[in-house]
Amino acid sequence: MDVLTQGERLAEGGFWVLVGTFEGRIDAWRFEDVCFGSAVPETPDASGAWVGPAPGSWVSSLDRSAYMAGVEAIRADVREGDVYQVNLCRVLSAPLLASQGGPDAVALSQVLATGNPARYASRIAIPASDAMPGCWIVSASPELYLAVEGDVIRSSPIKGTAAPGVPMLAKDVAENVMITDLVRNDLAHVAEPGTIAVPELLGEHVHPGLVHLQSTVQATLAPSHEWTAVMWRDLLAGTFPPGSVSGAPKSSALRIIAREETAPRGPYCGAIGWIDADARRAELAVGIRTFWWEPDQGGVLRFGTGAGITWGSDPAGEWAETELKARRLIGLASTDTMTS
């Protein structure tokens, strides 16, 4: 279903898988049969070895000079007082021929689970039909967009990235505090007044190949939004797209993103996860560290990477951050020798 027009169904019952694109489309599929497995990683299936694009076949929607020019333009916006922070992204694409159903999502997810394990990892492979859009996503997201447990809601924005052993910059700390405050305001749309808290501020979390600053915002849902018909409509309207991958103020940041970026982000920087309305639980990740495949021109595999831009940003340093975030995962998804 289209969540924007039928969002009240998300609270009525059933287990739903949800994918929202950064541009605003949010789809949800309800599954009749659901199996809950253990948290033990799957054993890689040797018969389904991943065959990805050649390492040199990836192209970026913004090259280094264009990205650095975008950073300078955003710094000028900050200087003029139009915005405080903007997440500037680029999309990497590589041809990957496959059948209409897409390449082997299981194989790629197993590669990432071994080489880049992530708390909110996921794979979604839903074939398209005349009546229903399809979806092909393999994600190694480390970032929580929204979690719901009964009447408690949490969000854990990530802002601030460094290589292992490299200290965070003052700019990273300022970014995180700024976005944490934005998330507090976003959750206020559905929260019981006085219940918003920040149980974690500026926590350093180690991930494969890098370190992130993470904060957590928590609140209690107001009775008017505790699994009622308007809950998900108002929650998504107030928080989407996630603040950590847009900027502050969000409306200004989205306008600047539309001006500077040359490719749609799709599910990258959107929302990926599940809603169990029967158990009144949900877990949606921010769609970062995410591959998605589309059947354009026979098949294209895409991956997004970006960085938060403030007045204190160094253009070359921000480009380097996008490279750091992409390097490991692009390496895992690429195949040195293509097979027929």
Side-chain angles (χ1 to χ4, degrees):
M1 70 170 183
D2 179 349
V3 173
L4 298 181
T5 60
Q6 298 175 285
E8 70 279 357
R9 295 177 61 193
L10 292 175
E12 291 175 356
F15 186 95
W16 299 85
V17 169
L18 185 146
V19 175
T21 68
F22 182 79
E23 288 71 35
R25 179 185 176 94
I26 304 176
D27 291 312
W29 297 263
R30 187 168 61 188
F31 286 79
E32 181 176 4
D33 298 316
V34 181
C35 297
F36 294 90
S38 70
V40 177
E42 295 174 306
T43 300
D45 181 359
S47 65
W50 169 250
V51 179
S57 65
W58 294 90
V59 296
S60 175
S61 60
L62 294 172
D63 62 17
R64 187 176 189 272
S65 61
Y67 189 89
M68 291 173 61
V71 173
E72 289 290 16
I74 293 169
R75 291 184 71 247
D77 293 321
V78 175
R79 184 181 63 238
E80 294 300 316
D82 296 334
V83 72
Y84 302 114
Q85 192 260 17
V86 177
N87 202 60
L88 181 63
C89 298
R90 56 193 180 97
V91 174
L92 306 177
S93 304
L96 184 61
L97 304 183
S99 63
Q100 188 65 26
D104 190 341
V106 173
L108 179 56
S109 70
Q110 291 177 338
V111 168
L112 299 191
T114 301
N116 197 101
R119 168 65 182 84
Y120 302 103
S122 62
R123 68 168 179 260
I124 302 172
I126 301 174
S129 68
D130 292 339
M132 183 177 69
C135 183
W136 193 104
I137 288 172
V138 177
S139 176
S141 176
E143 183 173 1
L144 176 66
Y145 166 40
L146 293 172
V148 184
E149 290 273 357
D151 65 348
V152 176
I153 185 167
R154 290 184 295 111
S155 183
S156 296
I158 286 175
K159 291 311 299 180
T161 302
V166 177
M168 294 288 172
L169 303 174
K171 171 250 182 189
D172 296 313
V173 173
E175 264 194 287
N176 191 290
V177 171
M178 195 182 307
I179 297 303
T180 299
D181 192 51
L182 184 148
V183 172
R184 289 175 62 251
N185 291 330
D186 283 356
L187 292 185
H189 288 83
V190 299
E192 180 77 0
T195 66
I196 298 177
V198 182
E200 177 189 35
L201 182 64
L202 301 175
E204 289 201 9
H205 291 251
V206 179
H207 300 274
L210 47 77
V211 179
H212 282 313
L213 281 183
Q214 173 183 299
S215 296
T216 296
V217 182
Q218 181 173 300
T220 300
L221 289 166
S224 60
H225 287 87
E226 188 180 341
W227 294 93
T228 62
V230 298
M231 171 186 172
W232 286 101
R233 181 199 69 190
D234 292 352
L235 180 54
L236 292 169
T239 63
F240 194 79
S244 64
V245 289
S246 51
K250 189 180 289 186
S251 58
S252 298
L254 292 175
R255 173 180 55 79
I256 293 168
I257 287 168
R259 183 193 74 197
E260 296 297 331
E261 295 185 13
T262 60
R265 297 188 188 181
Y268 169 61
C269 293
I272 304 169
W274 53 269
I275 297 169
D276 186 343
D278 297 327
R280 295 195 166 190
R281 298 178 62 229
E283 190 172 85
L284 304 178
V286 179
I288 58 173
R289 316 292 192 272
T290 295
F291 293 93
W292 71 103
W293 183 87
E294 295 175 325
D296 308 358
Q297 299 147 352
V300 179
L301 188 65
R302 294 187 168 91
F303 181 88
T305 185
I309 312 305
T310 67
W311 172 249
S313 290
D314 167 63
E318 301 297 354
W319 171 263
E321 181 174 321
T322 71
E323 292 275 271
L324 174 65
K325 290 174 177 175
R327 185 179 300 117
R328 186 184 189 93
L329 286 156
I330 291 294
L332 289 170
S334 299
T335 302
D336 290 332
T337 304
M338 295 297 291
T339 57
S340 58

